[in-house]
Amino acid sequence: MSRSKAGSPNDPRGKERFHEERATKVVASAQPDLEAGITAIRETVKTLKPRPGVYRMLDTRGDVLYVGKARSLKARVANYTQVKGLSNRLQRMVSQCRAMEIVVTNSEAEALLLEAQLIKRYRPPFNVLLRDDKSFPFILLRADHAFPRIQKHRGARRAKGNYYGPFASAGSVNKTLNALQKLFLLRSCTDSFFNNRDRPCLLYQIKRCSAPCVGRIDEDGYDALVQEAKDFLSGKSGAVQANIEKQMAKAAEDLDFETAAILRDRLRAATFIQGSQAINASGVGDADVFALAAKGGQIGVQAFFIRGGQNWGHRAFFPRNTGDLDHEEVLADVLLQFYEEVPPPRTILVDRELAEQELIAEALAEKAGHVVAISIPQRGDRRKLMQQAQRNAVEALDRRLAESGTKAKILRELAEFLELDEVPQRIEVYDNSHIQGDKALGAMVVASPEGFEKGQYRKFNIRTAQTNDDFGMMREVMARRFRNLAENPDGDAGKKNSHETVWPDLVLIDGGKGQMSSVRDTLEEMGIENVPLIAIAKGPHHGREGREVFHFPDGREKTLPVNSQLLFYLQTLRDEVHRYAIGAHRAKRSRAITASPLDEIPGIGPSRKRALLLHFGTAGKVRAAALDDLKRAPGISDSVARQIYDFYHAGG
């Protein structure tokens, strides 16, 4: 089911389903002011009716502070004006509020789903946030080809076919996918590769594909393999294994030992998948299991993903901004944000009663298109599974706390070593990548006390710097990164909720004295003098064994002991920006290799480009073609032919 059914205001039917209003009572002062916040909220309450919906609290810049849902918007929003009944956290939120945005929905369930969607989009600082950098991988068995392909899939589920998942990680889905290829011999190649084969590829030789591309198996035989794969992934693994055993016995009885050997290898692959299940989930069917642990002011949630009685992995989540909220409310928020990306199964097992549990089940059922049951297991296999999830939650949180303690210590050492006034909360690391100046780009990665913030990474295509001028490239990157901040020193660059409006607490440059001088001079020219800078250059041995040299803006140099935890941390930051820069540069070169001169012609898209190349053979022949020849190309109208001709013959 599409997300729009869950209540997106971007739905084409949005005019019928929602009514969005913005009550703007902007107060001049950006400083926290409880009375100003209450005034803004009271102005909004005057416009509200007792209808279900979602509200957003905004600060003076228009950034979203909080997203909430209500059965009755008028009553719920009015509660924020009763200061004595608010916790300290809510009072801080109200003191920063200067305006509100309202979306009216048809039901409270719709409001609940829309709330989770908006939290995912805006990441408000006063909401519980489920931090997750990547979408979950699925296995996709396509249904748009006579010989369906099996593949790993991430992101929007637009392709026609059957999706199986989620898997906890790319590693778990890759292992399962490799075993499934051995078990069912389904193709994994692209359609273009499939269509251009005249002999089997290596996967056929190593018995991981049945080679339908060259007719080694007919359509009926391949369909039988596809149906077995569907049965296996849907939980009927026992029946599939029994059928393979029966076929193997029959082949051996007929003295067809080659076929029997292939079936034996398939059976071993099935046994591998079954044996790799570290958690006994037989009899559970399709279910997700969630258990919460709390310690030291932090909360961890352990999730197990069970599909067809098979364990498809587990993952621990550590939600942020949990503050003084009840654990039941935190777990409810985690579920709603988790299922914003992942389709809910029919069964969700939790270790405690949730806040508004029935409403959450109703909302998830509306999103999924089938009944969703949320329950606390009391006995049997489900209870044992929950107990295992609870143990894993506690252990994961203990590891997290130990790592956090170590990270906090390292950051304190970092502040001391670099002579910073405070422990840095946002570290930006920069590097350039090019080959002899070709396809040059700059890269920025961002790190916080919680790890790398991959959603805030940024690439800079170098536009003005000369070939092989590393210093000039770094000057250009710095100028573009800090231009808006220099013009808007308060951090409001006119881009709501953008990391570009946030000042870094530390800028780390991959380079030596020259790069440091370039960055320092560039920022000074822009009037920026209060951003701490440091450049990290590899030591004399150019490896991890060598001592990195740290260059300060004033020309000083420092080193760290080779066994220092702080050195390892700084090397990790440097290596991450290096990895990101090289990956981005490699992708840019790959796009350039496949680019065509026809791409430069305005109005020529993929279809027309394909038609021209099929008709003329090469882009050079298109350029040399006469106007009448262009008009005769299939799919090319007279006006488009004239446009192409004029592009190449601007002089007449």
Side-chain angles (χ1 to χ4, degrees):
M1 180 174 295
S2 66
R3 191 176 300 175
S4 60
K5 184 173 181 180
S8 169
N10 299 320
D11 188 334
R13 300 164 295 170
K15 293 181 180 179
E16 301 173 7
R17 300 173 62 84
F18 299 104
H19 176 60
E20 183 165 357
E21 299 174 348
R22 176 165 179 160
T24 309
K25 180 66 176 179
V26 179
V27 180
S29 173
Q31 297 299 318
D33 187 331
L34 191 58
E35 288 301 322
I38 292 174
T39 300
I41 294 172
R42 282 176 177 159
E43 290 296 320
T44 302
V45 171
K46 294 177 182 179
T47 68
L48 299 180
K49 296 179 180 179
R51 294 187 58 186
V54 175
Y55 57 92
R56 279 170 273 176
M57 290 190 175
L58 312 177
D59 63 13
T60 50
R61 297 187 303 174
D63 292 344
V64 179
L65 294 169
Y66 181 77
V67 176
K69 65 90 188 166
R71 180 184 301 141
S72 169
L73 283 167
K74 189 175 186 67
R76 182 72 186 91
V77 175
N79 285 341
Y80 290 106
T81 63
Q82 308 300 317
V83 180
K84 293 183 179 179
L86 301 180
S87 65
N88 291 335
R89 169 175 162 273
L90 293 181
Q91 287 188 26
R92 290 198 308 275
M93 180 178 73
V94 170
S95 69
Q96 297 177 42
C97 178
R98 296 296 182 271
M100 296 188 71
E101 290 182 346
I102 306 296
V103 180
V104 177
T105 62
N106 292 329
S107 68
E108 191 178 3
E110 283 187 358
L112 194 64
L113 290 173
L114 181 57
E115 177 193 32
Q117 181 182 335
L118 294 177
I119 290 172
K120 198 84 173 180
R121 181 192 304 173
Y122 293 113
R123 315 290 291 170
F126 286 94
N127 282 100
V128 173
L129 298 180
L130 182 61
R131 183 178 184 269
D132 191 26
D133 294 323
K134 291 186 177 179
S135 59
F136 285 83
F138 285 74
I139 286 178
L140 167 60
L141 186 55
R142 298 184 71 110
D144 54 1
H145 196 279
F147 296 97
R149 174 190 181 193
I150 191 168
Q151 64 184 90
K152 180 173 70 174
H153 177 83
R154 280 189 190 270
R157 305 199 298 170
R158 299 189 182 95
K160 184 180 179 182
N162 299 91
Y163 293 83
Y164 302 95
F167 287 81
S169 64
S172 61
V173 76
N174 286 337
K175 285 182 181 178
T176 303
L177 196 56
N178 289 337
L180 288 172
Q181 287 177 299
K182 297 176 184 177
L183 175 56
F184 300 111
L185 308 180
L186 301 181
R187 75 177 184 96
S188 58
C189 58
T190 62
D191 290 348
S192 60
F193 186 87
F194 178 92
N195 293 332
N196 289 286
R197 297 299 299 178
D198 54 14
R199 59 189 178 88
C201 68
L202 180 62
L203 289 179
Y204 175 77
Q205 307 297 335
I206 62 175
K207 298 181 175 61
R208 284 178 53 181
C209 181
S210 54
C213 54
V214 292
R216 296 299 172 92
I217 186 172
D218 60 20
E219 193 168 336
D220 290 338
Y222 195 86
D223 285 344
L225 293 177
V226 170
Q227 188 56 52
E228 284 185 348
K230 290 180 179 178
D231 290 342
F232 188 90
L233 290 167
S234 299
K236 301 175 183 177
S237 55
V240 172
Q241 288 176 270
N243 186 42
I244 295 175
E245 288 177 354
K246 185 177 178 180
Q247 294 178 45
M248 184 176 67
K250 178 69 167 57
E253 188 178 315
D254 296 340
L255 304 182
D256 186 357
F257 298 117
E258 184 177 354
T259 300
I262 294 173
L263 292 167
R264 178 203 62 202
D265 293 341
R266 291 181 60 195
L267 194 60
R268 286 178 177 172
T271 305
F272 169 80
I273 296 175
Q274 296 294 330
S276 64
Q277 310 299 316
I279 297 171
N280 181 17
S282 59
V284 177
D286 291 352
D288 288 341
V289 184
F290 293 89
L292 182 146
K295 187 176 182 181
Q298 291 197 37
I299 288 178
V301 177
Q302 182 72 46
F304 289 167
F305 309 122
I306 312 299
R307 295 296 182 271
Q310 300 176 23
N311 169 36
W312 284 359
H314 55 91
R315 183 179 290 190
F317 303 98
F318 303 96
R320 293 188 289 182
N321 304 338
T322 53
D324 53 359
L325 297 177
D326 293 335
H327 296 165
E328 295 79 5
E329 186 177 348
V330 172
L331 185 55
D333 287 343
V334 167
L335 289 185
L336 286 166
Q337 292 181 46
F338 176 76
Y339 289 117
E340 172 61 24
E341 297 276 342
V342 175
R346 294 184 180 276
T347 302
I348 299 173
L349 304 179
V350 293
D351 66 341
R352 66 197 68 217
E353 195 77 22
L354 300 180
E356 301 181 307
Q357 183 164 305
E358 292 183 3
L359 178 63
I360 293 173
E362 178 188 345
L364 294 180
E366 179 179 340
K367 178 181 177 66
H370 56 68
V371 174
V372 175
I374 302 177
S375 61
I376 304 173
Q378 302 295 332
R379 61 183 66 85
D381 291 337
R382 296 188 174 195
R383 181 59 186 164
K384 292 178 182 177
L385 190 59
M386 179 57 71
Q387 289 172 341
Q388 191 163 1
Q390 289 173 323
R391 287 195 297 272
N392 277 265
V394 172
E395 292 171 2
L397 184 57
D398 286 342
R399 289 193 298 271
R400 174 79 170 191
L401 290 172
E403 292 170 0
S404 298
T406 303
K407 180 66 70 64
K409 180 175 179 292
I410 289 174
L411 289 175
R412 288 195 297 270
E413 292 178 359
L414 175 64
E416 183 177 349
F417 175 71
L418 299 181
E419 303 168 13
L420 306 178
D421 295 333
E422 297 178 348
V423 171
Q425 300 299 306
R426 179 186 174 90
I427 303 174
E428 294 183 357
V429 195
Y430 293 86
D431 190 18
N432 296 325
S433 183
H434 61 92
I435 296 179
Q436 297 296 315
D438 185 46
K439 305 295 183 296
L441 58 79
M444 175 188 84
V445 305
V446 180
S448 73
E450 295 187 355
F452 289 111
E453 303 288 345
K454 296 187 177 181
Q456 300 186 26
Y457 287 14
R458 185 180 170 189
K459 299 182 290 254
F460 302 83
N461 288 315
I462 302 300
R463 301 167 182 165
T464 61
Q466 298 298 315
T467 301
N468 278 347
D469 184 3
D470 281 327
F471 304 152
M473 293 177 189
M474 191 61 73
R475 282 194 294 270
E476 179 179 337
V477 169
M478 289 294 116
R480 288 165 58 187
R481 166 65 181 98
F482 287 93
R483 183 181 298 117
N484 285 332
L485 288 175
E487 295 172 355
N488 301 271
D490 293 332
D492 181 5
K495 299 183 180 181
K496 290 174 62 175
N497 297 312
S498 171
H499 63 271
E500 295 184 7
T501 68
V502 180
W503 287 92
D505 299 312
L506 173 65
V507 169
L508 182 64
I509 306 148
D510 183 14
K513 292 181 179 178
Q515 282 83 356
M516 166 56 74
S517 299
S518 300
V519 173
R520 181 195 61 208
D521 295 345
T522 301
L523 295 186
E524 286 180 354
E525 290 171 4
M526 300 171 70
I528 299 174
E529 299 178 351
N530 57 350
V531 174
L533 304 175
I534 196 74
I536 175 173
K538 290 183 178 179
H541 303 295
H542 292 277
R544 282 193 174 274
E545 295 78 13
R547 292 190 176 185
E548 270 71 2
V549 179
F550 298 90
H551 298 273
F552 285 71
D554 58 7
R556 287 180 299 136
E557 298 178 1
K558 282 188 177 183
T559 59
L560 285 165
V562 293
N563 60 349
S564 166
Q565 290 292 327
L566 176 56
L567 176 61
F568 296 154
Y569 175 68
L570 290 168
Q571 287 173 335
T572 300
L573 296 180
R574 189 265 319 279
D575 293 348
E576 173 66 5
V577 73
H578 196 55
R579 177 201 66 79
Y580 182 63
I582 289 176
H585 183 241
R586 185 178 294 121
K588 187 176 182 180
R589 293 202 319 271
S590 298
R591 289 193 298 271
I593 290 171
T594 58
S596 167
L598 301 181
D599 295 335
E600 301 174 3
I601 306 175
I604 300 300
S607 298
R608 285 173 174 163
K609 182 175 72 173
R610 190 180 305 112
L612 288 167
L613 291 174
L614 287 173
H615 184 73
F616 290 100
T618 66
K621 291 182 179 179
V622 175
R623 179 183 186 126
L627 178 59
D628 290 341
D629 293 333
L630 290 170
K631 291 179 180 179
R632 284 193 289 269
I636 304 300
S637 65
D638 290 353
S639 61
V640 173
R642 168 58 69 180
Q643 185 176 355
I644 297 170
Y645 185 82
D646 290 344
F647 180 81
Y648 286 123
H649 303 82

